[in-house]
PDB file of all heavy atoms in Angstrom:
ATOM      1  N   ARG E  79     -28.007  37.953  27.697  1.00  0.00           N
ATOM      2  CA  ARG E  79     -26.738  38.227  27.033  1.00  0.00           C
ATOM      3  C   ARG E  79     -26.512  37.299  25.839  1.00  0.00           C
ATOM      4  O   ARG E  79     -25.913  37.741  24.833  1.00  0.00           O
ATOM      5  CB  ARG E  79     -25.576  38.065  28.024  1.00  0.00           C
ATOM      6  CG  ARG E  79     -25.529  39.147  29.111  1.00  0.00           C
ATOM      7  CD  ARG E  79     -24.413  38.880  30.084  1.00  0.00           C
ATOM      8  NE  ARG E  79     -23.091  38.746  29.498  1.00  0.00           N
ATOM      9  CZ  ARG E  79     -22.314  39.780  29.180  1.00  0.00           C
ATOM     10  NH1 ARG E  79     -22.723  41.037  29.463  1.00  0.00           N
ATOM     11  NH2 ARG E  79     -21.136  39.628  28.607  1.00  0.00           N
ATOM     12  N   ILE E  80     -26.994  36.051  25.887  1.00  0.00           N
ATOM     13  CA  ILE E  80     -26.725  35.159  24.797  1.00  0.00           C
ATOM     14  C   ILE E  80     -27.404  35.638  23.514  1.00  0.00           C
ATOM     15  O   ILE E  80     -26.977  35.317  22.433  1.00  0.00           O
ATOM     16  CB  ILE E  80     -27.172  33.689  25.143  1.00  0.00           C
ATOM     17  CG1 ILE E  80     -28.627  33.651  25.494  1.00  0.00           C
ATOM     18  CG2 ILE E  80     -26.323  33.160  26.318  1.00  0.00           C
ATOM     19  CD1 ILE E  80     -29.173  32.232  25.667  1.00  0.00           C
ATOM     20  N   PHE E  81     -28.482  36.375  23.634  1.00  0.00           N
ATOM     21  CA  PHE E  81     -29.171  36.927  22.491  1.00  0.00           C
ATOM     22  C   PHE E  81     -28.225  37.883  21.741  1.00  0.00           C
ATOM     23  O   PHE E  81     -28.199  37.922  20.544  1.00  0.00           O
ATOM     24  CB  PHE E  81     -30.456  37.639  22.899  1.00  0.00           C
ATOM     25  CG  PHE E  81     -31.205  38.263  21.730  1.00  0.00           C
ATOM     26  CD1 PHE E  81     -31.966  37.457  20.890  1.00  0.00           C
ATOM     27  CD2 PHE E  81     -31.094  39.600  21.485  1.00  0.00           C
ATOM     28  CE1 PHE E  81     -32.660  38.005  19.833  1.00  0.00           C
ATOM     29  CE2 PHE E  81     -31.799  40.155  20.405  1.00  0.00           C
ATOM     30  CZ  PHE E  81     -32.562  39.356  19.570  1.00  0.00           C
ATOM     31  N   GLY E  82     -27.458  38.604  22.540  1.00  0.00           N
ATOM     32  CA  GLY E  82     -26.485  39.546  21.924  1.00  0.00           C
ATOM     33  C   GLY E  82     -25.372  38.795  21.174  1.00  0.00           C
ATOM     34  O   GLY E  82     -24.948  39.248  20.107  1.00  0.00           O
ATOM     35  N   HIS E  83     -24.910  37.693  21.752  1.00  0.00           N
ATOM     36  CA  HIS E  83     -23.878  36.874  21.100  1.00  0.00           C
ATOM     37  C   HIS E  83     -24.406  36.291  19.783  1.00  0.00           C
ATOM     38  O   HIS E  83     -23.654  36.248  18.782  1.00  0.00           O
ATOM     39  CB  HIS E  83     -23.401  35.776  22.027  1.00  0.00           C
ATOM     40  CG  HIS E  83     -22.638  36.284  23.234  1.00  0.00           C
ATOM     41  ND1 HIS E  83     -21.594  37.155  23.146  1.00  0.00           N
ATOM     42  CD2 HIS E  83     -22.872  36.111  24.549  1.00  0.00           C
ATOM     43  CE1 HIS E  83     -21.176  37.446  24.349  1.00  0.00           C
ATOM     44  NE2 HIS E  83     -21.911  36.820  25.256  1.00  0.00           N
ATOM     45  N   LYS E  84     -25.651  35.872  19.796  1.00  0.00           N
ATOM     46  CA  LYS E  84     -26.210  35.328  18.569  1.00  0.00           C
ATOM     47  C   LYS E  84     -26.348  36.372  17.494  1.00  0.00           C
ATOM     48  O   LYS E  84     -26.049  36.163  16.302  1.00  0.00           O
ATOM     49  CB  LYS E  84     -27.574  34.695  18.840  1.00  0.00           C
ATOM     50  CG  LYS E  84     -28.244  34.005  17.677  1.00  0.00           C
ATOM     51  CD  LYS E  84     -29.563  33.391  18.032  1.00  0.00           C
ATOM     52  CE  LYS E  84     -30.142  32.599  16.831  1.00  0.00           C
ATOM     53  NZ  LYS E  84     -30.290  33.429  15.642  1.00  0.00           N
ATOM     54  N   SER E  85     -26.791  37.579  17.879  1.00  0.00           N
ATOM     55  CA  SER E  85     -26.889  38.687  16.937  1.00  0.00           C
ATOM     56  C   SER E  85     -25.520  39.084  16.436  1.00  0.00           C
ATOM     57  O   SER E  85     -25.368  39.512  15.270  1.00  0.00           O
ATOM     58  CB  SER E  85     -27.618  39.864  17.575  1.00  0.00           C
ATOM     59  OG  SER E  85     -28.925  39.513  17.945  1.00  0.00           O
ATOM     60  N   GLY E  86     -24.531  39.005  17.332  1.00  0.00           N
ATOM     61  CA  GLY E  86     -23.137  39.317  16.918  1.00  0.00           C
ATOM     62  C   GLY E  86     -22.635  38.386  15.856  1.00  0.00           C
ATOM     63  O   GLY E  86     -21.790  38.774  14.999  1.00  0.00           O
ATOM     64  N   MET E  87     -23.063  37.090  15.893  1.00  0.00           N
ATOM     65  CA  MET E  87     -22.669  36.140  14.913  1.00  0.00           C
ATOM     66  C   MET E  87     -23.190  36.574  13.541  1.00  0.00           C
ATOM     67  O   MET E  87     -22.485  36.498  12.487  1.00  0.00           O
ATOM     68  CB  MET E  87     -23.227  34.777  15.270  1.00  0.00           C
ATOM     69  CG  MET E  87     -22.906  33.690  14.282  1.00  0.00           C
ATOM     70  SD  MET E  87     -23.668  32.093  14.705  1.00  0.00           S
ATOM     71  CE  MET E  87     -25.367  32.409  14.269  1.00  0.00           C
ATOM     72  N   ASP E  88     -24.401  37.063  13.481  1.00  0.00           N
ATOM     73  CA  ASP E  88     -24.970  37.528  12.230  1.00  0.00           C
ATOM     74  C   ASP E  88     -24.237  38.769  11.704  1.00  0.00           C
ATOM     75  O   ASP E  88     -24.016  38.915  10.511  1.00  0.00           O
ATOM     76  CB  ASP E  88     -26.467  37.871  12.396  1.00  0.00           C
ATOM     77  CG  ASP E  88     -27.284  36.598  12.766  1.00  0.00           C
ATOM     78  OD1 ASP E  88     -26.881  35.520  12.339  1.00  0.00           O
ATOM     79  OD2 ASP E  88     -28.286  36.746  13.474  1.00  0.00           O
ATOM     80  N   ALA E  89     -23.834  39.654  12.660  1.00  0.00           N
ATOM     81  CA  ALA E  89     -23.068  40.852  12.258  1.00  0.00           C
ATOM     82  C   ALA E  89     -21.720  40.439  11.676  1.00  0.00           C
ATOM     83  O   ALA E  89     -21.256  41.063  10.667  1.00  0.00           O
ATOM     84  CB  ALA E  89     -22.878  41.742  13.491  1.00  0.00           C
ATOM     85  N   LEU E  90     -21.092  39.421  12.237  1.00  0.00           N
ATOM     86  CA  LEU E  90     -19.827  38.963  11.724  1.00  0.00           C
ATOM     87  C   LEU E  90     -19.944  38.513  10.290  1.00  0.00           C
ATOM     88  O   LEU E  90     -19.051  38.801   9.446  1.00  0.00           O
ATOM     89  CB  LEU E  90     -19.304  37.824  12.595  1.00  0.00           C
ATOM     90  CG  LEU E  90     -17.990  37.130  12.112  1.00  0.00           C
ATOM     91  CD1 LEU E  90     -16.872  38.156  11.999  1.00  0.00           C
ATOM     92  CD2 LEU E  90     -17.588  36.058  13.049  1.00  0.00           C
ATOM     93  N   LYS E  91     -20.946  37.776   9.937  1.00  0.00           N
ATOM     94  CA  LYS E  91     -21.148  37.347   8.574  1.00  0.00           C
ATOM     95  C   LYS E  91     -21.201  38.541   7.635  1.00  0.00           C
ATOM     96  O   LYS E  91     -20.507  38.568   6.576  1.00  0.00           O
ATOM     97  CB  LYS E  91     -22.395  36.461   8.458  1.00  0.00           C
ATOM     98  CG  LYS E  91     -22.765  36.034   7.048  1.00  0.00           C
ATOM     99  CD  LYS E  91     -23.861  36.879   6.453  1.00  0.00           C
ATOM    100  CE  LYS E  91     -24.254  36.443   5.059  1.00  0.00           C
ATOM    101  NZ  LYS E  91     -25.311  37.267   4.481  1.00  0.00           N
ATOM    102  N   LYS E  92     -21.963  39.541   7.949  1.00  0.00           N
ATOM    103  CA  LYS E  92     -22.117  40.728   7.108  1.00  0.00           C
ATOM    104  C   LYS E  92     -20.765  41.457   6.942  1.00  0.00           C
ATOM    105  O   LYS E  92     -20.399  41.844   5.806  1.00  0.00           O
ATOM    106  CB  LYS E  92     -23.148  41.715   7.656  1.00  0.00           C
ATOM    107  CG  LYS E  92     -24.585  41.190   7.583  1.00  0.00           C
ATOM    108  CD  LYS E  92     -25.572  42.278   7.966  1.00  0.00           C
ATOM    109  CE  LYS E  92     -25.451  42.618   9.448  1.00  0.00           C
ATOM    110  NZ  LYS E  92     -26.538  43.602   9.863  1.00  0.00           N
ATOM    111  N   VAL E  93     -20.074  41.669   8.043  1.00  0.00           N
ATOM    112  CA  VAL E  93     -18.846  42.431   8.030  1.00  0.00           C
ATOM    113  C   VAL E  93     -17.763  41.645   7.287  1.00  0.00           C
ATOM    114  O   VAL E  93     -16.968  42.212   6.510  1.00  0.00           O
ATOM    115  CB  VAL E  93     -18.385  42.783   9.470  1.00  0.00           C
ATOM    116  CG1 VAL E  93     -16.983  43.316   9.489  1.00  0.00           C
ATOM    117  CG2 VAL E  93     -19.397  43.752  10.087  1.00  0.00           C
ATOM    118  N   ALA E  94     -17.684  40.312   7.511  1.00  0.00           N
ATOM    119  CA  ALA E  94     -16.660  39.532   6.858  1.00  0.00           C
ATOM    120  C   ALA E  94     -16.884  39.508   5.348  1.00  0.00           C
ATOM    121  O   ALA E  94     -15.877  39.697   4.584  1.00  0.00           O
ATOM    122  CB  ALA E  94     -16.698  38.122   7.404  1.00  0.00           C
ATOM    123  N   VAL E  95     -18.079  39.309   4.920  1.00  0.00           N
ATOM    124  CA  VAL E  95     -18.369  39.293   3.466  1.00  0.00           C
ATOM    125  C   VAL E  95     -18.052  40.664   2.861  1.00  0.00           C
ATOM    126  O   VAL E  95     -17.395  40.705   1.768  1.00  0.00           O
ATOM    127  CB  VAL E  95     -19.837  38.907   3.215  1.00  0.00           C
ATOM    128  CG1 VAL E  95     -20.205  39.190   1.754  1.00  0.00           C
ATOM    129  CG2 VAL E  95     -20.092  37.438   3.558  1.00  0.00           C
ATOM    130  N   HIS E  96     -18.417  41.712   3.502  1.00  0.00           N
ATOM    131  CA  HIS E  96     -18.183  43.048   2.976  1.00  0.00           C
ATOM    132  C   HIS E  96     -16.635  43.320   2.946  1.00  0.00           C
ATOM    133  O   HIS E  96     -16.132  43.886   1.939  1.00  0.00           O
ATOM    134  CB  HIS E  96     -18.825  44.106   3.816  1.00  0.00           C
ATOM    135  CG  HIS E  96     -18.775  45.492   3.220  1.00  0.00           C
ATOM    136  ND1 HIS E  96     -19.321  45.788   2.020  1.00  0.00           N
ATOM    137  CD2 HIS E  96     -18.203  46.645   3.692  1.00  0.00           C
ATOM    138  CE1 HIS E  96     -19.085  47.094   1.751  1.00  0.00           C
ATOM    139  NE2 HIS E  96     -18.449  47.602   2.723  1.00  0.00           N
ATOM    140  N   GLY E  97     -15.929  42.914   4.004  1.00  0.00           N
ATOM    141  CA  GLY E  97     -14.478  43.083   4.029  1.00  0.00           C
ATOM    142  C   GLY E  97     -13.801  42.322   2.882  1.00  0.00           C
ATOM    143  O   GLY E  97     -12.889  42.838   2.219  1.00  0.00           O
ATOM    144  N   ALA E  98     -14.268  41.112   2.619  1.00  0.00           N
ATOM    145  CA  ALA E  98     -13.718  40.310   1.525  1.00  0.00           C
ATOM    146  C   ALA E  98     -13.974  40.990   0.202  1.00  0.00           C
ATOM    147  O   ALA E  98     -13.092  41.065  -0.690  1.00  0.00           O
ATOM    148  CB  ALA E  98     -14.346  38.926   1.565  1.00  0.00           C
ATOM    149  N   ARG E  99     -15.126  41.516   0.042  1.00  0.00           N
ATOM    150  CA  ARG E  99     -15.469  42.188  -1.239  1.00  0.00           C
ATOM    151  C   ARG E  99     -14.719  43.484  -1.429  1.00  0.00           C
ATOM    152  O   ARG E  99     -14.397  43.861  -2.544  1.00  0.00           O
ATOM    153  CB  ARG E  99     -16.977  42.450  -1.314  1.00  0.00           C
ATOM    154  CG  ARG E  99     -17.802  41.168  -1.437  1.00  0.00           C
ATOM    155  CD  ARG E  99     -19.300  41.444  -1.413  1.00  0.00           C
ATOM    156  NE  ARG E  99     -20.086  40.234  -1.623  1.00  0.00           N
ATOM    157  CZ  ARG E  99     -21.400  40.182  -1.586  1.00  0.00           C
ATOM    158  NH1 ARG E  99     -22.125  41.322  -1.356  1.00  0.00           N
ATOM    159  NH2 ARG E  99     -22.010  39.028  -1.760  1.00  0.00           N
ATOM    160  N   ARG E 100     -14.397  44.129  -0.319  1.00  0.00           N
ATOM    161  CA  ARG E 100     -13.583  45.392  -0.387  1.00  0.00           C
ATOM    162  C   ARG E 100     -12.143  45.080  -0.756  1.00  0.00           C
ATOM    163  O   ARG E 100     -11.398  45.970  -1.197  1.00  0.00           O
ATOM    164  CB  ARG E 100     -13.641  46.118   0.938  1.00  0.00           C
ATOM    165  CG  ARG E 100     -14.907  46.898   1.250  1.00  0.00           C
ATOM    166  CD  ARG E 100     -15.099  48.121   0.387  1.00  0.00           C
ATOM    167  NE  ARG E 100     -13.966  48.994   0.285  1.00  0.00           N
ATOM    168  CZ  ARG E 100     -13.757  50.134   0.986  1.00  0.00           C
ATOM    169  NH1 ARG E 100     -14.680  50.456   1.927  1.00  0.00           N
ATOM    170  NH2 ARG E 100     -12.714  50.874   0.837  1.00  0.00           N
ATOM    171  N   GLY E 101     -11.697  43.861  -0.534  1.00  0.00           N
ATOM    172  CA  GLY E 101     -10.313  43.521  -0.867  1.00  0.00           C
ATOM    173  C   GLY E 101      -9.389  43.316   0.337  1.00  0.00           C
ATOM    174  O   GLY E 101      -8.199  43.238   0.204  1.00  0.00           O
ATOM    175  N   ILE E 102      -9.978  43.306   1.569  1.00  0.00           N
ATOM    176  CA  ILE E 102      -9.169  43.007   2.746  1.00  0.00           C
ATOM    177  C   ILE E 102      -8.622  41.593   2.621  1.00  0.00           C
ATOM    178  O   ILE E 102      -9.346  40.712   2.215  1.00  0.00           O
ATOM    179  CB  ILE E 102      -9.993  43.196   4.044  1.00  0.00           C
ATOM    180  CG1 ILE E 102     -10.343  44.692   4.221  1.00  0.00           C
ATOM    181  CG2 ILE E 102      -9.265  42.681   5.258  1.00  0.00           C
ATOM    182  CD1 ILE E 102     -11.355  44.923   5.317  1.00  0.00           C
ATOM    183  N   LYS E 103      -7.384  41.409   2.996  1.00  0.00           N
ATOM    184  CA  LYS E 103      -6.767  40.101   2.816  1.00  0.00           C
ATOM    185  C   LYS E 103      -6.868  39.174   4.037  1.00  0.00           C
ATOM    186  O   LYS E 103      -6.984  37.945   3.911  1.00  0.00           O
ATOM    187  CB  LYS E 103      -5.282  40.247   2.417  1.00  0.00           C
ATOM    188  CG  LYS E 103      -5.111  40.891   1.072  1.00  0.00           C
ATOM    189  CD  LYS E 103      -3.656  41.043   0.701  1.00  0.00           C
ATOM    190  CE  LYS E 103      -3.504  41.703  -0.680  1.00  0.00           C
ATOM    191  NZ  LYS E 103      -2.054  41.891  -1.050  1.00  0.00           N
ATOM    192  N   VAL E 104      -6.850  39.825   5.243  1.00  0.00           N
ATOM    193  CA  VAL E 104      -7.000  39.012   6.471  1.00  0.00           C
ATOM    194  C   VAL E 104      -7.879  39.833   7.432  1.00  0.00           C
ATOM    195  O   VAL E 104      -7.757  41.021   7.574  1.00  0.00           O
ATOM    196  CB  VAL E 104      -5.661  38.766   7.191  1.00  0.00           C
ATOM    197  CG1 VAL E 104      -5.846  38.029   8.496  1.00  0.00           C
ATOM    198  CG2 VAL E 104      -4.684  37.980   6.275  1.00  0.00           C
ATOM    199  N   MET E 105      -8.860  39.128   8.021  1.00  0.00           N
ATOM    200  CA  MET E 105      -9.621  39.715   9.097  1.00  0.00           C
ATOM    201  C   MET E 105      -9.538  38.807  10.345  1.00  0.00           C
ATOM    202  O   MET E 105     -10.050  37.658  10.259  1.00  0.00           O
ATOM    203  CB  MET E 105     -11.106  39.937   8.689  1.00  0.00           C
ATOM    204  CG  MET E 105     -11.943  40.595   9.773  1.00  0.00           C
ATOM    205  SD  MET E 105     -13.680  40.944   9.192  1.00  0.00           S
ATOM    206  CE  MET E 105     -13.404  42.271   8.013  1.00  0.00           C
ATOM    207  N   THR E 106      -8.895  39.245  11.395  1.00  0.00           N
ATOM    208  CA  THR E 106      -8.764  38.479  12.574  1.00  0.00           C
ATOM    209  C   THR E 106      -9.773  38.987  13.620  1.00  0.00           C
ATOM    210  O   THR E 106      -9.725  40.149  13.997  1.00  0.00           O
ATOM    211  CB  THR E 106      -7.324  38.553  13.191  1.00  0.00           C
ATOM    212  OG1 THR E 106      -6.410  37.992  12.238  1.00  0.00           O
ATOM    213  CG2 THR E 106      -7.218  37.770  14.495  1.00  0.00           C
ATOM    214  N   VAL E 107     -10.625  38.124  14.045  1.00  0.00           N
ATOM    215  CA  VAL E 107     -11.738  38.558  14.954  1.00  0.00           C
ATOM    216  C   VAL E 107     -11.539  37.901  16.312  1.00  0.00           C
ATOM    217  O   VAL E 107     -11.259  36.687  16.413  1.00  0.00           O
ATOM    218  CB  VAL E 107     -13.131  38.188  14.364  1.00  0.00           C
ATOM    219  CG1 VAL E 107     -13.406  38.989  13.155  1.00  0.00           C
ATOM    220  CG2 VAL E 107     -13.268  36.717  14.084  1.00  0.00           C
ATOM    221  N   TYR E 108     -11.627  38.715  17.360  1.00  0.00           N
ATOM    222  CA  TYR E 108     -11.426  38.255  18.725  1.00  0.00           C
ATOM    223  C   TYR E 108     -12.716  37.628  19.214  1.00  0.00           C
ATOM    224  O   TYR E 108     -13.615  38.291  19.710  1.00  0.00           O
ATOM    225  CB  TYR E 108     -11.068  39.461  19.596  1.00  0.00           C
ATOM    226  CG  TYR E 108     -10.188  39.182  20.786  1.00  0.00           C
ATOM    227  CD1 TYR E 108      -9.593  37.969  21.024  1.00  0.00           C
ATOM    228  CD2 TYR E 108      -9.972  40.216  21.733  1.00  0.00           C
ATOM    229  CE1 TYR E 108      -8.783  37.725  22.103  1.00  0.00           C
ATOM    230  CE2 TYR E 108      -9.180  40.010  22.814  1.00  0.00           C
ATOM    231  CZ  TYR E 108      -8.564  38.819  23.014  1.00  0.00           C
ATOM    232  OH  TYR E 108      -7.776  38.600  24.122  1.00  0.00           O
ATOM    233  N   ALA E 109     -12.806  36.305  19.069  1.00  0.00           N
ATOM    234  CA  ALA E 109     -14.056  35.606  19.377  1.00  0.00           C
ATOM    235  C   ALA E 109     -14.111  35.168  20.828  1.00  0.00           C
ATOM    236  O   ALA E 109     -15.243  35.107  21.402  1.00  0.00           O
ATOM    237  CB  ALA E 109     -14.189  34.381  18.441  1.00  0.00           C
ATOM    238  N   PHE E 110     -13.000  34.802  21.423  1.00  0.00           N
ATOM    239  CA  PHE E 110     -13.023  34.349  22.841  1.00  0.00           C
ATOM    240  C   PHE E 110     -11.573  34.461  23.361  1.00  0.00           C
ATOM    241  O   PHE E 110     -10.641  33.865  22.814  1.00  0.00           O
ATOM    242  CB  PHE E 110     -13.455  32.893  22.882  1.00  0.00           C
ATOM    243  CG  PHE E 110     -13.781  32.414  24.293  1.00  0.00           C
ATOM    244  CD1 PHE E 110     -14.972  32.626  24.872  1.00  0.00           C
ATOM    245  CD2 PHE E 110     -12.805  31.703  24.995  1.00  0.00           C
ATOM    246  CE1 PHE E 110     -15.274  32.186  26.167  1.00  0.00           C
ATOM    247  CE2 PHE E 110     -13.058  31.256  26.318  1.00  0.00           C
ATOM    248  CZ  PHE E 110     -14.333  31.517  26.856  1.00  0.00           C
ATOM    249  N   SER E 111     -11.414  35.204  24.402  1.00  0.00           N
ATOM    250  CA  SER E 111     -10.060  35.416  24.988  1.00  0.00           C
ATOM    251  C   SER E 111      -9.777  34.399  26.096  1.00  0.00           C
ATOM    252  O   SER E 111     -10.702  33.745  26.636  1.00  0.00           O
ATOM    253  CB  SER E 111      -9.964  36.834  25.555  1.00  0.00           C
ATOM    254  OG  SER E 111     -10.650  36.967  26.784  1.00  0.00           O
ATOM    255  N   THR E 112      -8.518  34.291  26.498  1.00  0.00           N
ATOM    256  CA  THR E 112      -8.169  33.392  27.601  1.00  0.00           C
ATOM    257  C   THR E 112      -8.828  33.844  28.880  1.00  0.00           C
ATOM    258  O   THR E 112      -9.018  33.013  29.801  1.00  0.00           O
ATOM    259  CB  THR E 112      -6.614  33.347  27.751  1.00  0.00           C
ATOM    260  OG1 THR E 112      -6.118  34.681  27.816  1.00  0.00           O
ATOM    261  CG2 THR E 112      -6.007  32.632  26.561  1.00  0.00           C
ATOM    262  N   GLU E 113      -9.163  35.129  28.940  1.00  0.00           N
ATOM    263  CA  GLU E 113      -9.794  35.652  30.181  1.00  0.00           C
ATOM    264  C   GLU E 113     -11.280  35.398  30.213  1.00  0.00           C
ATOM    265  O   GLU E 113     -11.909  35.511  31.254  1.00  0.00           O
ATOM    266  CB  GLU E 113      -9.526  37.190  30.305  1.00  0.00           C
ATOM    267  CG  GLU E 113      -8.065  37.553  30.569  1.00  0.00           C
ATOM    268  CD  GLU E 113      -7.182  37.450  29.361  1.00  0.00           C
ATOM    269  OE1 GLU E 113      -7.701  37.562  28.237  1.00  0.00           O
ATOM    270  OE2 GLU E 113      -5.972  37.225  29.518  1.00  0.00           O
ATOM    271  N   ASN E 114     -11.867  35.132  29.059  1.00  0.00           N
ATOM    272  CA  ASN E 114     -13.318  34.944  29.005  1.00  0.00           C
ATOM    273  C   ASN E 114     -13.817  33.712  29.689  1.00  0.00           C
ATOM    274  O   ASN E 114     -15.053  33.565  29.922  1.00  0.00           O
ATOM    275  CB  ASN E 114     -13.813  34.904  27.518  1.00  0.00           C
ATOM    276  CG  ASN E 114     -13.790  36.258  26.866  1.00  0.00           C
ATOM    277  OD1 ASN E 114     -13.693  36.374  25.629  1.00  0.00           O
ATOM    278  ND2 ASN E 114     -13.826  37.324  27.656  1.00  0.00           N
ATOM    279  N   TRP E 115     -12.944  32.778  30.081  1.00  0.00           N
ATOM    280  CA  TRP E 115     -13.353  31.630  30.811  1.00  0.00           C
ATOM    281  C   TRP E 115     -13.956  32.004  32.162  1.00  0.00           C
ATOM    282  O   TRP E 115     -14.674  31.211  32.773  1.00  0.00           O
ATOM    283  CB  TRP E 115     -12.193  30.668  31.051  1.00  0.00           C
ATOM    284  CG  TRP E 115     -11.678  30.040  29.827  1.00  0.00           C
ATOM    285  CD1 TRP E 115     -10.506  30.316  29.143  1.00  0.00           C
ATOM    286  CD2 TRP E 115     -12.310  28.982  29.063  1.00  0.00           C
ATOM    287  NE1 TRP E 115     -10.376  29.495  28.020  1.00  0.00           N
ATOM    288  CE2 TRP E 115     -11.489  28.670  27.937  1.00  0.00           C
ATOM    289  CE3 TRP E 115     -13.516  28.269  29.190  1.00  0.00           C
ATOM    290  CZ2 TRP E 115     -11.808  27.707  26.991  1.00  0.00           C
ATOM    291  CZ3 TRP E 115     -13.840  27.308  28.241  1.00  0.00           C
ATOM    292  CH2 TRP E 115     -12.960  27.024  27.167  1.00  0.00           C
ATOM    293  N   ALA E 116     -13.656  33.224  32.656  1.00  0.00           N
ATOM    294  CA  ALA E 116     -14.179  33.680  33.916  1.00  0.00           C
ATOM    295  C   ALA E 116     -15.673  34.113  33.855  1.00  0.00           C
ATOM    296  O   ALA E 116     -16.259  34.391  34.899  1.00  0.00           O
ATOM    297  CB  ALA E 116     -13.344  34.883  34.444  1.00  0.00           C
ATOM    298  N   ARG E 117     -16.212  34.105  32.706  1.00  0.00           N
ATOM    299  CA  ARG E 117     -17.663  34.459  32.551  1.00  0.00           C
ATOM    300  C   ARG E 117     -18.551  33.282  33.045  1.00  0.00           C
ATOM    301  O   ARG E 117     -18.058  32.187  33.256  1.00  0.00           O
ATOM    302  CB  ARG E 117     -17.963  34.767  31.092  1.00  0.00           C
ATOM    303  CG  ARG E 117     -17.258  36.016  30.592  1.00  0.00           C
ATOM    304  CD  ARG E 117     -17.736  36.427  29.230  1.00  0.00           C
ATOM    305  NE  ARG E 117     -17.123  37.694  28.792  1.00  0.00           N
ATOM    306  CZ  ARG E 117     -17.490  38.356  27.734  1.00  0.00           C
ATOM    307  NH1 ARG E 117     -18.451  37.926  26.949  1.00  0.00           N
ATOM    308  NH2 ARG E 117     -16.865  39.517  27.420  1.00  0.00           N
ATOM    309  N   PRO E 118     -19.838  33.578  33.220  1.00  0.00           N
ATOM    310  CA  PRO E 118     -20.741  32.514  33.675  1.00  0.00           C
ATOM    311  C   PRO E 118     -20.670  31.286  32.807  1.00  0.00           C
ATOM    312  O   PRO E 118     -20.549  31.397  31.563  1.00  0.00           O
ATOM    313  CB  PRO E 118     -22.101  33.198  33.630  1.00  0.00           C
ATOM    314  CG  PRO E 118     -21.819  34.619  33.804  1.00  0.00           C
ATOM    315  CD  PRO E 118     -20.490  34.877  33.133  1.00  0.00           C
ATOM    316  N   VAL E 119     -20.775  30.109  33.407  1.00  0.00           N
ATOM    317  CA  VAL E 119     -20.607  28.868  32.674  1.00  0.00           C
ATOM    318  C   VAL E 119     -21.588  28.745  31.507  1.00  0.00           C
ATOM    319  O   VAL E 119     -21.182  28.335  30.404  1.00  0.00           O
ATOM    320  CB  VAL E 119     -20.812  27.655  33.653  1.00  0.00           C
ATOM    321  CG1 VAL E 119     -20.834  26.344  32.858  1.00  0.00           C
ATOM    322  CG2 VAL E 119     -19.717  27.633  34.692  1.00  0.00           C
ATOM    323  N   ASP E 120     -22.866  29.101  31.688  1.00  0.00           N
ATOM    324  CA  ASP E 120     -23.840  28.975  30.635  1.00  0.00           C
ATOM    325  C   ASP E 120     -23.474  29.908  29.431  1.00  0.00           C
ATOM    326  O   ASP E 120     -23.675  29.515  28.287  1.00  0.00           O
ATOM    327  CB  ASP E 120     -25.239  29.344  31.155  1.00  0.00           C
ATOM    328  CG  ASP E 120     -25.776  28.251  32.090  1.00  0.00           C
ATOM    329  OD1 ASP E 120     -25.244  27.150  32.079  1.00  0.00           O
ATOM    330  OD2 ASP E 120     -26.761  28.533  32.801  1.00  0.00           O
TER     331      ASP E 120
END
């Protein structure tokens, strides 16, 4: 699963840069919720 999270980080860079270039003023990304603490420690 951690491989997916690492690849997701690369996707965020692409999407954020493109959004900025399109003229979006704010992009709020849900990176970690209060409920996500229930996931495996690693």
Side-chain angles (χ1 to χ4, degrees):
R79 289 175 58 85
I80 59 172
F81 180 78
H83 293 306
K84 185 178 184 303
S85 298
M87 180 183 74
D88 296 330
L90 175 57
K91 176 259 182 181
K92 290 188 293 185
V93 171
V95 168
H96 188 61
R99 291 177 177 176
R100 282 293 308 264
I102 292 170
K103 295 181 179 178
V104 178
M105 183 176 290
T106 297
V107 294
Y108 208 9
F110 191 84
S111 75
T112 51
E113 291 77 25
N114 286 156
W115 292 107
R117 293 188 176 189
V119 173
D120 288 345

